[in-house]
Amino acid sequence: MTPHKIIVLYGRGNLGKTRTLRMVIDILNGEPISYTTSDTQAICHYNDLTIAVATKGDNAAELRANVSYFKSHPCDIAITAARSRGGTHDVIKAYAQETGAEVVWIYKRAEAGAENAVNLKWAERVVEEI
């Protein structure tokens, strides 16, 4: 099984993309929001879908590792982070072409407000795309 959709949360560094995707994992798993900041990979089951989430996305090597994870963990939807442009996007585009998956790009921009509240809003936005 290859993903039919790849959701990419992208933006410049230090915007909280990892924390946001950790919140997505908590939401999908029905767990309290943990506000964890460490990178991870996870398989979630949500609305009869298998969703693979990989939070790293700072460079092309990390995205290639995410793609390897997605390939070794069959899923309906893959979710990852990426930088604003460059090699990370190329890896995602190549994977999408290989699998025939739709890519949903969500641009996470800098935003005023309490960091956790802002990240939670973006996490909910990612979940809406599922």
Side-chain angles (χ1 to χ4, degrees), residues 57-67 83 85-92:
D58 287 339
N59 57 57
E62 289 179 351
L63 263 294
R64 284 191 293 275
N66 291 352
V67 167
R83 283 295 176 99
R85 61 187 183 281
T88 57
H89 288 224
D90 295 338
V91 173
I92 293 163

Side-chain angles (χ1 to χ4, degrees), residues 71-127:
K71 287 179 177 180
S72 65
H73 295 81
C75 58
D76 298 295
I77 298 174
I79 301 175
T80 188
R83 283 295 176 99
S84 296
R85 61 187 183 281
T88 57
H89 288 224
D90 295 338
V91 173
I92 293 163
K93 289 174 185 174
Y95 182 53
Q97 186 171 19
E98 175 186 326
T99 61
E102 167 195 6
V103 182
V104 177
W105 299 91
I106 300 173
Y107 177 62
K108 187 172 194 278
R109 61 186 182 282
E111 192 172 320
E115 181 180 4
N116 286 333
V118 168
N119 288 334
L120 184 57
K121 181 187 88 168
W122 284 100
E124 290 167 347
R125 169 78 178 86
V126 170
V127 172

